[in-house]
Amino acid sequence: MFYVCFSTAFIMMIVIAVVKIGKGQGEHDTPTASISGLPNLFGVCVYSYMCQHSLPSLITPMKNKSRITLLFVADFAIVLIFYALLSFTAIFAFRSEDLNDLYTLNFRKTSGSFVGYFLALFPVFTLSTNFPIISITLRDNLKNLFHREGRPYPWVVDRIVFPLSTITLPIIVAFITQNLEILVGVTGSYAGTGVQYVIPACLAYFGKKQLTEMTGRYDNKHKSPFGWSLWIVFVIGWAFVCIALVTVNHIIAKK
């Protein structure tokens, strides 16, 4: 049901924007390129493709994983096409000064009452389904991180401390700020870099190292063509370069 709502909302926004452009009502003042928008672009891109919490539920049920690479290439290609259509129609349909940070809110006046309310409430539907999944994943990861063999957690720690430690920070942030541009730019740039680049690179390195120590060799027919150690070093280096550039850009923007 969630994926039906998600796809419906995306198609609605693209179609409405295309109709607006086709009627000659579209306006845009977007420059060809703007370096000042790089931090927010980086943060948005990280958020857009932060799907690691959903991958296990896609991979685990597959009995035949021989074509898993092709499946993910096709999957991400479709996602990229949708994002490109959504972004470019937005660029030519709305002026940047009139554009809300929450894109779905731009269709309240240009759509019928039902469509306008549906698109305005769409982020609520998304967060209502994604937040519990991500919170449960984080809670389980914290349990595994501090777990000691033969020493189960007390009931209070297991049922109260871990869940509260998972949801407390997001709730505090939600009450502190409503500026989505800063929120996406900062958290996406820093926390997103660690989740998207640093942690997967470290997992790949130590995973291959442990497997080599256990079996004496590393052989996986499903391994990525980017499985060389040089790519791991490149990803780590790229993450630090991005953090440095984004930090400098944030400092300059505040001045």
Side-chain angles (χ1 to χ4, degrees):
M1 185 63 183
F2 166 73
Y3 293 106
V4 174
C5 293
F6 192 87
S7 302
T8 302
F10 262 57
I11 294 172
M12 279 183 177
M13 289 186 286
I14 294 171
V15 170
I16 293 171
V18 169
V19 171
K20 184 176 181 179
I21 297 171
K23 290 182 177 180
Q25 300 174 354
E27 295 183 85
H28 72 93
D29 56 352
T30 306
T32 304
S34 177
I35 301 299
S36 62
L38 182 62
N40 294 322
L41 172 64
F42 180 75
V44 170
C45 290
V46 171
Y47 270 141
S48 298
Y49 279 94
M50 193 175 291
C51 56
Q52 69 283 346
H53 56 274
S54 301
L55 293 180
S57 61
L58 294 174
I59 298 175
T60 304
M62 296 182 184
K63 294 183 178 180
N64 183 8
K65 296 182 173 62
S66 59
R67 297 185 178 180
I68 192 170
T69 302
L70 180 61
L71 175 64
F72 276 100
V73 169
D75 187 18
F76 281 109
I78 294 172
V79 172
L80 180 60
I81 292 171
F82 264 93
Y83 275 130
L85 287 172
L86 192 67
S87 300
F88 282 105
T89 53
I91 289 173
F92 290 99
F94 302 99
R95 293 178 62 87
S96 58
E97 60 183 17
D98 301 327
L99 199 61
N100 290 289
D101 291 335
L102 194 58
Y103 183 58
T104 55
L105 296 179
N106 294 282
F107 299 92
R108 288 178 298 179
K109 298 180 180 179
T110 59
S111 309
S113 58
F114 172 77
V115 176
Y117 281 120
F118 174 77
L119 293 178
L121 291 174
F122 173 68
V124 178
F125 301 148
T126 305
L127 291 175
S128 299
T129 52
N130 283 345
F131 184 75
I133 296 174
I134 297 174
S135 298
I136 292 171
T137 303
L138 178 58
R139 182 202 63 187
D140 293 342
N141 289 340
L142 290 175
K143 286 183 179 181
N144 292 329
L145 180 64
F146 296 103
H147 177 69
R148 293 184 180 181
E149 199 68 34
R151 296 180 60 181
Y153 295 114
W155 184 90
V156 175
V157 175
D158 186 64
R159 298 295 182 178
I160 297 178
V161 175
F162 279 119
L164 283 179
S165 62
T166 301
I167 65 175
T168 301
L169 182 59
I171 292 175
I172 292 174
V173 172
F175 278 103
I176 290 176
T177 180
Q178 295 182 356
N179 192 323
L180 293 179
E181 185 176 358
I182 295 176
L183 186 62
V184 172
V186 174
T187 59
S189 300
Y190 295 105
T193 300
V195 173
Q196 197 83 337
Y197 296 128
V198 179
I199 294 177
C202 293
L203 287 174
Y205 173 77
F206 289 107
K208 290 195 295 184
K209 183 179 179 181
Q210 183 176 3
L211 186 61
T212 303
E213 292 175 354
M214 293 173 57
T215 63
R217 61 190 180 88
Y218 173 70
D219 186 19
N220 180 7
K221 64 180 181 179
H222 302 303
K223 66 180 180 180
S224 167
F226 303 101
W228 299 95
S229 299
L230 182 62
W231 285 108
I232 297 177
V233 175
F234 172 77
V235 170
I236 296 292
W238 172 249
F240 281 104
V241 169
C242 289
I243 290 175
L245 291 174
V246 167
T247 302
V248 171
N249 205 301
H250 280 311
I251 294 173
I252 294 174
K254 287 182 179 180
K255 291 182 179 180

